[in-house]
Amino acid sequence: MSAKKRTIDAFFGVPKAKSNVDEIVKKARTSTTDAIVGGEANEDKVFGSFDIIQYSQHPNYPFPIAHLPDPLSNELPSLPSSIGRSMTDQPDLDLLYFEPYFPRSSAKQLFEFLRSSLPFYRVEYDINRGGISTHIRTPRWTTVFGLDETSRFASSNDSNDIATNDIVDVKTGRKVVGDRFYDKYPPRPIPQCLDALRQSCEAATGCKFNFCLVNYYAGGADSISYHSDDERFLGPLPAIASFSLGARRDFYMKHKPPPKANQTPSSAVAAEQGDAKPLKLPLGSGDMILMRGTTQANWLHSIPKRSGKNAEDGGRINITFRRAMVKAGTENYYNYNVGTGPVYRWDTVNREMRKWDKPLP
Ligand SMILES: O=C(O)CCC(=O)C(=O)O
Ligand SMILES: [Fe+2]
């Protein structure tokens, strides 16, 4: 096993200690990834030297989340590894396609690292349409981190009456208390491993992001149906950066039925006449697609299910960075991507998501 591989393997676990944010934890270097069972280092397999691993910690995380392994962090300054290709050849479409953003080998490592380091959820909820209630089971694993533009997580620079984990109003600098939008789903800061990627993405696109949504498609049966990310809380003309890691999956896009607000009269006519052709982008590991401008207002996108020989693909992670402008956005994202059900964590031995039971104090 190469030194580089061993360093990444050493991240497949969590520390037993749980206290301050970004606590430095000494973790035994183990001989193989499998030596770490269910997130606990198996200390029987220690053979000597120690890696210093840092973790992002927060009371609203179900467990500490490892920082990005050094070999991946060291690559960030050289990203994106290709120039973004602009795709604006269809009515209302404005895409910037990095093919890839991450070199394929590091994309695979990032996929493995994130799958085993992040908490995931299988969210269920009810929708009510026309008086009929339907129970929805989200057909993929999800998780989310971030806080809308009106607030921020406290820092050590804040005044003494503000605790490290409080949420602070951006305008007044005062602690946000008893806000109905934050009470049901306590927001979580973007952990270092995803925040490093956010920063790279902001530098590459010139956009600002405060939310990170993660989807894990375990196989072909997992999917996302046609939708657009055009919620009002994202403001007009939202930019959404979308990373693909792991298995290749088709990303379908089609123009919304005309006419709609934000369409120019000529583009509405063009769409009606069938000038806007559906797109199929076979997103590969490491690719990033930025959807911006009038795209969300006018186009729908989806990842359809795959069956037959394409169903077992080893899994795919999608990361989107977005910018929510108001508190309602925060509540919406936690409601649909974390919810109130159990938390799951990837089991590196059994190679499946397992319910995560909070260790006893
Ligand atoms: O997995 C993908 O590429 C798309 C995900 C997506 O559209 C979303 O989370 O809104
Ligand atoms: Fe989307």
Side-chain angles (χ1 to χ4, degrees), residues 213 215 217 224 227 229 242 244 251 283 301 303 316 318 320 322:
L213 278 66
N215 292 306
Y217 303 82
I224 190 164
H227 68 282
D229 299 306
S242 181
S244 292
F251 184 70
L283 299 180
H301 55 271
I303 300 277
R316 167 179 182 266
N318 164 258
T320 53
R322 309 160 184 229

Side-chain angles (χ1 to χ4, degrees), residues 31-348:
S31 56
T32 67
T33 305
D34 292 352
I36 298 167
V37 182
E40 289 287 314
N42 177 346
E43 293 175 2
D44 291 346
K45 302 232 172 147
V46 171
F47 63 86
S49 60
F50 285 85
D51 288 324
I52 305 292
I53 301 175
Q54 286 184 286
Y55 290 81
S56 299
Q57 302 206 47
H58 190 270
N60 299 336
Y61 292 166
F63 46 77
I65 301 173
H67 282 197
L68 203 61
D70 285 345
L72 291 171
S73 290
N74 295 341
E75 272 198 52
L76 289 176
S78 61
L79 301 181
S81 61
S82 70
I83 292 169
R85 177 163 59 94
S86 167
M87 294 174 69
T88 54
D89 56 343
Q90 298 238 42
D92 312 307
L93 188 73
D94 191 351
L95 304 178
L96 190 60
Y97 189 6
F98 295 83
E99 208 181 353
Y101 189 100
F102 273 100
R104 302 282 182 223
S105 61
S106 33
K108 180 72 181 151
Q109 289 175 345
L110 183 58
F111 167 79
E112 295 286 350
F113 167 76
L114 292 176
R115 182 168 61 177
S116 54
S117 302
L118 299 178
F120 283 99
Y121 304 85
R122 200 83 188 188
V123 176
E124 300 191 17
Y125 56 94
D126 293 316
I127 50 165
N128 215 311
R129 284 215 183 115
I132 299 167
S133 175
T134 314
H135 188 68
I136 306 287
R137 291 191 174 89
T138 303
R140 62 191 177 281
W141 300 93
T142 53
T143 198
V144 66
F145 303 94
L147 194 54
D148 65 88
E149 213 65 359
T150 68
S151 308
R152 61 175 172 79
F153 291 97
S155 75
S156 49
N157 298 332
D158 284 305
S159 59
N160 289 343
D161 57 332
I162 291 178
T164 343
N165 297 313
D166 285 345
I167 292 179
V168 176
D169 183 283
V170 165
K171 284 211 181 105
T172 64
R174 294 214 193 92
K175 179 178 165 177
V176 177
V177 277
D179 193 297
R180 72 181 177 92
F181 289 110
Y182 296 152
D183 288 351
K184 195 165 173 200
Y185 310 102
R188 313 160 164 198
I190 301 178
Q192 183 277 348
C193 58
L194 291 169
D195 207 51
L197 188 54
R198 178 189 64 81
Q199 287 171 34
S200 165
C201 185
E202 287 192 348
T205 61
C207 301
K208 284 254 164 265
F209 303 109
N210 54 23
F211 260 94
C212 178
L213 278 66
V214 182
N215 292 306
Y216 171 58
Y217 303 82
D222 283 353
S223 61
I224 190 164
S225 55
Y226 267 117
H227 68 282
S228 53
D229 299 306
D230 60 350
E231 293 95 348
R232 258 202 301 195
F233 57 74
L234 293 171
L237 310 179
I240 296 175
S242 181
F243 287 84
S244 292
L245 304 168
R248 188 178 287 279
R249 290 285 297 257
D250 290 334
F251 184 70
Y252 281 55
M253 294 189 78
K254 66 179 183 189
H255 201 286
K256 289 184 192 176
K260 275 248 169 205
N262 279 339
Q263 279 180 342
T264 60
S266 64
S267 69
V269 170
E272 201 162 23
Q273 289 171 347
D275 281 5
K277 296 187 184 59
L279 295 179
K280 180 170 121 178
L281 303 175
L283 299 180
S285 192
D287 289 357
M288 192 274 263
I289 192 144
L290 179 72
M291 298 180 270
R292 60 186 176 185
T294 52
T295 306
Q296 296 302 332
N298 295 285
W299 287 76
L300 300 162
H301 55 271
S302 73
I303 300 277
K305 293 186 192 306
R306 285 152 56 120
S307 57
K309 65 176 170 34
N310 293 323
E312 293 313 315
D313 59 10
R316 167 179 182 266
I317 283 180
N318 164 258
I319 305 167
T320 53
F321 290 107
R322 309 160 184 229
R323 185 178 187 188
M325 312 304 286
V326 295
K327 290 189 173 74
T330 298
E331 186 181 69
N332 178 291
Y333 279 150
Y334 285 95
N335 181 20
Y336 291 111
N337 295 283
V338 169
T340 51
V343 56
Y344 291 80
R345 185 167 192 187
W346 180 253
D347 183 319
T348 53

Side-chain angles (χ1 to χ4, degrees), residues 11-27:
F11 285 85
F12 288 86
V14 293
K16 286 176 180 162
K18 260 195 164 188
S19 51
N20 298 326
V21 174
D22 291 354
E23 181 186 356
I24 293 175
V25 181
K26 270 191 176 177
K27 201 166 85 56

